[in-house]
Amino acid sequence: MFVIGATKKLQNEIDQPIENVEEYQNVPEIYQWHANVVTINRRKCLLLMNNATGLNLTLFGLRKQQFQHLDSVIKGSLKQLFQLLGVEKKIADQMLEAADEIVYTKTKSRRVLGMLNEIKFFSEDKVAGKAYEDIDAAEINEFNNKELVFSNLDQITPYKEFARYFEKQ
């Protein structure tokens, strides 16, 4: 099960019930995420970040229909992200299996929300001056996970933190 802390902006976009955060405290942090909707290049984008590792996904140009089927959009996009980053198949399969059930709650971590804001800043910077058709989402997602370093992750990239999490298991 994935527990996604949805910002107010995302809650307004989706047609999903918003569950009580406390009911899902026992879900391992690796299956907890935060998500926000932002506007980049005049298009709605979804930012998704893993609470435990900072692993993140930026989806550009989402339309109303995609928000109506957000669970499957997230699962399919995470599968592509795991392939892009070269995540071990066993780990990717475990994460995608957990994504079969997604519940939405209010946000609970100011730390993760701050990291989401950094992702927004870097994504905006990468697309500045580009036409929507020229945005390379794969390149941006790879940079945000393999190059970007968050100070609250011990100066390590989200991808390395994600890999390190599963090494400890």
Side-chain angles (χ1 to χ4, degrees):
M1 169 191 298
F2 273 9
V3 177
I4 298 179
T7 62
K8 192 70 178 149
K9 278 185 177 180
L10 179 58
Q11 291 175 31
N12 292 338
E13 292 289 338
I14 60 177
D15 216 11
Q16 301 277 352
I18 304 302
E19 306 290 339
N20 190 340
V21 178
E22 284 75 35
E23 291 179 36
Y24 298 96
Q25 295 293 4
N26 59 345
V27 173
E29 199 172 27
I30 194 69
Y31 302 124
Q32 295 184 33
W33 301 75
H34 272 61
N36 192 14
V37 174
V38 297
T39 302
I40 299 177
N41 271 22
R42 298 191 324 262
R43 295 234 173 38
K44 287 183 182 174
C45 303
L46 179 78
L47 304 178
L48 183 70
M49 180 170 288
N50 184 268
N51 289 10
T53 65
L55 193 78
N56 59 83
L57 173 66
T58 302
L59 300 176
F60 292 92
L62 292 184
R63 300 187 188 279
K64 186 173 181 72
Q65 184 180 8
Q66 290 167 302
F67 281 109
Q68 291 171 345
H69 303 285
L70 193 58
D71 291 10
S72 56
V73 169
I74 287 173
K75 188 172 179 180
S77 300
L78 279 175
K79 183 177 184 178
Q80 290 177 327
L81 179 70
F82 293 153
Q83 290 170 344
L84 173 72
L85 298 176
V87 172
E88 196 178 307
K89 183 175 176 8
K90 185 178 83 171
I91 294 170
D93 289 347
Q94 178 183 337
M95 291 297 289
L96 293 171
E97 187 180 318
D100 283 343
E101 182 185 356
I102 297 178
V103 296
Y104 295 88
T105 66
K106 292 182 177 179
T107 60
K108 69 172 191 173
S109 172
R110 290 174 51 177
R111 174 185 72 91
V112 178
L113 289 172
M115 290 165 59
L116 273 174
N117 280 335
E118 286 185 58
I119 292 296
K120 177 184 182 231
F121 171 78
F122 283 105
S123 296
E124 286 173 333
D125 189 54
K126 288 272 188 195
V127 303
K130 290 185 179 178
Y132 178 74
E133 298 75 31
D134 297 332
I135 294 173
D136 186 345
E139 176 189 313
I140 292 169
N141 279 301
E142 189 169 23
F143 174 84
N144 287 346
N145 284 291
K146 286 195 166 182
E147 306 288 326
L148 198 57
V149 174
F150 293 106
S151 57
N152 54 359
L153 287 181
D154 300 328
Q155 301 298 321
I156 184 169
T157 66
Y159 171 74
K160 284 184 180 165
E161 183 68 19
F162 184 77
R164 193 165 73 174
Y165 179 92
F166 284 98
E167 287 170 5
K168 290 188 251 176
Q169 298 302 310

